[in-house]
Amino acid sequence: SAVAGAATAPFAAAHFNILSSYGLLANLLAVPVMGSLVIPCAVLALCLLPFGLEGIALWVMEQGLRFILAVAERVSDLPGAVRPIPTPPDVVLPLLALGARFVILYIGAAGHRALGAVPVAFALAIWPLAERPMVLVAASGGLVGVLTEDGRALSRARGDGFVAGIWLENDGDRGSQADAAARPIWREGQTRAVSMDWQGMRLWHGTGRVAAREAEDACARHDILVVNVPDQDVWPGWEPAQRAGMDWLAAGAPGFEAPAESCLLLSPQALRATGSVALSHGKDGLDLQTARQAQGARLWSDRRVRQAWGYRAVR
């Protein structure tokens, strides 16, 4: 159990963003009952089924399962039983796997085998250094999250709950969406809109058609606008002042600076082509990275998605 737990713990922590502190204790209590009671009784119940006597074996099997569930409940209630873990850099798991495989499989001097521990140690050392995006915009335009000293502050307490959960898990944050929305950074507007200042950039997030009516005025006072309604509901009949294609996005979208009386609009129409968006403050201005950049476009994707024409600065 100890060996198996040590081998799988890094992968579980990387993919599920949790580390079970007492997994070994739970396994030592539960696995013997599973192997000596539950599984044999399941086989016995199958054998007794033609005679209508399976109920006896199933009852014994039930008691074993109840014991296992009780162990899981008690152990999970222990202080610090589950620890949140942020998503590691991409290189961490390959380094861990290669180093551990070398230690296990190498046939030779013990000193040479120990060299495999070097990449393992290096991977564990850089794990906490993973950088999470400062600002995240959901592909629906319905949620924005800003990383603060207290954790990621979300623009809404409800809506896009699956996205919010993934963001918080990858940050290593065990808080709920409501907790994250209560973190003070967003200023409430007159309608269903919030705004905040981020490293010299002013960001405005509006949801619903009522909030979208403020967007035109908000554009004059903010650098970035995020909405979850169609473009026509924001500016009926508007024309883009600038369109940025895949070449600009692939280059990391360097140096975006909002011209006078204009703003960067992230709407469902734009986000449909790019997917969710991560924003960071680069040397030359605003850096943007899209989900489409990370995963690429599929052959069956819409033509607009393949061209990724969605970024615009509008007047």
Side-chain angles (χ1 to χ4, degrees):
S1 293
V3 171
T8 59
F11 297 91
H15 292 296
F16 302 106
N17 301 106
I18 58 173
L19 181 64
S20 299
S21 304
Y22 305 114
L24 178 60
L25 173 62
N27 285 338
L28 290 179
L29 294 173
V31 170
V33 176
M34 176 65 73
S36 62
L37 188 64
V38 174
I39 294 179
C41 285
V43 176
L44 181 60
L46 182 63
C47 295
L48 295 176
L49 184 61
F51 308 100
L53 300 176
E54 72 279 3
I56 300 175
L58 290 177
W59 182 85
V60 177
M61 180 181 174
E62 179 185 1
Q63 308 315 306
L65 291 174
R66 289 183 180 276
F67 174 80
I68 292 173
L69 292 176
V71 168
E73 183 177 357
R74 294 291 182 86
V75 172
S76 63
D77 286 341
L78 294 175
V82 178
R83 300 180 183 181
I85 302 293
T87 298
D90 293 339
V91 72
V92 165
L93 287 185
L95 282 176
L96 280 171
L98 290 174
R101 286 169 64 89
F102 186 85
V103 171
I104 295 170
L105 300 178
Y106 179 78
I107 300 176
H112 295 166
R113 178 181 295 183
L115 293 176
V118 175
V120 173
F122 180 73
L124 294 176
I126 65 175
W127 190 319
L129 304 180
E131 293 186 3
R132 294 287 298 145
M134 293 299 297
V135 178
L136 289 169
V137 180
S140 65
L143 189 67
V144 180
V146 183
L147 194 61
T148 69
E149 294 182 355
D150 299 325
R152 192 168 300 277
L154 301 180
S155 59
R156 298 174 65 193
R158 299 179 62 184
D160 286 87
F162 177 77
V163 175
I166 294 296
W167 287 355
L168 295 176
E169 285 181 6
N170 290 340
D171 290 338
D173 190 336
R174 297 283 291 176
S176 65
Q177 181 175 356
D179 295 335
R183 292 164 182 162
I185 189 174
W186 294 96
R187 299 186 300 271
E188 294 187 3
Q190 296 179 354
T191 58
R192 298 177 61 183
V194 292
S195 62
M196 64 96 184
D197 297 327
W198 169 68
Q199 297 188 358
M201 291 279 182
R202 294 161 297 174
L203 190 150
W204 182 91
H205 182 217
T207 57
R209 288 180 170 81
V210 176
R213 296 169 187 168
E214 294 184 10
E216 189 169 1
D217 293 334
C219 183
R221 295 178 283 106
H222 298 84
D223 302 303
I224 305 170
L225 263 62
V226 181
V227 296
N228 67 342
V229 297
D231 297 338
Q232 292 76 12
D233 291 339
V234 181
W235 280 283
W238 66 272
E239 292 293 335
Q242 172 187 349
R243 288 189 177 184
M246 180 60 80
D247 293 340
W248 186 64
L249 296 175
F256 172 83
E257 294 182 0
E261 298 183 356
S262 70
C263 58
L264 181 65
L265 173 65
L266 298 178
S267 66
Q269 185 175 353
L271 295 168
R272 194 161 47 241
T274 61
S276 56
V277 176
L279 307 176
S280 61
H281 198 74
K283 296 180 180 179
D284 301 321
L286 183 66
D287 290 345
L288 300 93
Q289 184 177 9
T290 72
R292 198 69 60 197
Q293 286 176 275
Q295 73 181 27
R298 308 295 190 256
L299 294 176
W300 54 85
S301 297
D302 185 270
R303 177 178 56 83
R304 292 172 300 175
V305 172
R306 294 198 301 271
Q307 293 178 350
W309 53 269
Y311 280 99
R312 312 145 180 215
V314 299
R315 295 190 184 281

